[in-house]
Amino acid sequence: MIGPTAPRERRITRPDVILRGEEVGAGPTFLLLHAGGERRQVWRPVSEVLVDAGYRCLAFDQRGHGNSEGSARTLSACADDVAAMVHTEPPASVVVGASLGGLAAIAALADPAVRARVAGLVLVDVVPCLEPSRVRRFLASVGPLGAHTVLVEDILAQVPRLRQVTAELDLPLLLVHGDNGSALTGEDIDQLLHLAPHTTVRPIRGAGHLIARNQPVALAQAVIATTTAWR
């Protein structure tokens, strides 16, 4: 018998791709969405803390990443995948999205049917108020864009829509951001708070942009501390 702390394989068949993932634990659910260029395994240290605290974690490789099929070329395709993930779960999941995962989650939550099944959204070092030239400079500083260039440009074209969706969200929001090598500035955070004044902001000391890698325990603790009251 597979115990509650042993990862269990998951699979979602979409019209054009198969998404592969895993779940672990038992209890209220966190849907964990990784950053571009990452894969679901990045969440395992975070999941360990969440599972020990009595939660269940679900993480998929996004399309074009890890063991999932296809290619990630548009934000809308990634958002539709997130919607499919949400609809496989019981109501009141908390969605945790890092970078690309957070933007895909915002886009998915434009659909009222998706919003109705989500208890809240955690953005991990990402905001919808993206400034294109600075985004391109930041991404170039951490490595070549390569195959992700098309997706990045599509996301930047969607910024007005992402801002509008965020401003209209009636869900609790948490922004967790790094303080060393973060992609965000104080102005970015202020703009998010202008769009969604009810957002809780938690900095993670010693973390960069990829907080799940840099400070997974602190990330999990911040998520638990804020989202317990959401369900």
Side-chain angles (χ1 to χ4, degrees):
M1 177 180 294
I2 298 177
T5 58
R8 304 174 292 277
E9 291 187 1
R10 291 288 303 271
R11 168 177 167 151
I12 296 177
T13 301
R14 303 277 296 125
D16 57 338
V17 298
I18 294 175
L19 304 173
R20 294 182 172 86
E22 61 188 37
E23 64 174 290
V24 64
T29 297
F30 287 102
L31 172 59
L32 307 174
L33 305 171
H34 64 73
E38 295 281 300
R39 54 194 306 171
R40 67 181 188 267
Q41 285 84 356
V42 73
W43 291 111
R44 285 181 178 170
V46 177
S47 296
E48 289 176 5
V49 179
L50 296 175
V51 169
D52 285 346
Y55 293 96
R56 172 175 169 266
C57 296
L58 175 66
F60 283 88
D61 289 326
Q62 295 197 60
R63 63 170 56 218
H65 294 73
N67 294 324
S68 290
E69 297 178 350
S71 61
R73 297 180 62 83
T74 66
L75 184 61
S76 62
C78 296
D80 288 347
D81 292 342
V82 173
M85 297 172 197
V86 169
H87 282 298
T88 67
E89 297 304 303
S93 296
V94 170
V95 179
V96 182
S99 200
L100 168 62
L103 299 174
I106 293 173
L109 289 168
D111 182 350
V114 177
R115 289 200 304 276
R117 302 185 67 83
V118 171
L121 173 63
V122 179
L123 297 174
V124 181
D125 214 64
V126 69
V127 295
C129 319
L130 304 174
E131 200 286 307
S133 61
R134 187 155 54 81
V135 169
R136 295 186 187 102
R137 286 196 302 271
F138 176 81
L139 293 175
S141 73
V142 298
L145 292 178
H148 300 292
T149 302
V150 173
L151 176 60
V152 169
E153 293 303 320
D154 181 75
I155 289 172
L156 294 176
Q158 303 300 320
V159 166
R161 176 61 174 152
L162 291 170
R163 290 173 59 94
Q164 178 183 355
V165 172
T166 303
E168 295 173 353
L169 280 181
D170 54 357
L171 296 172
L173 293 173
L174 166 64
L175 171 65
V176 182
H177 67 92
D179 69 348
N180 180 23
S182 169
L184 304 185
T185 66
E187 182 179 352
D188 294 327
I189 296 170
D190 288 344
Q191 288 190 48
L192 175 62
L193 290 172
H194 178 74
L195 289 174
H198 58 287
T199 301
T200 300
V201 179
R202 289 184 177 268
I204 303 294
R205 294 183 62 184
H209 180 53
L210 299 175
I211 303 177
R213 286 186 179 274
N214 304 147
Q215 295 287 347
V217 174
L219 172 57
Q221 291 171 341
V223 168
I224 292 169
T226 303
T227 66
T228 298
W230 291 3
R231 306 187 203 244

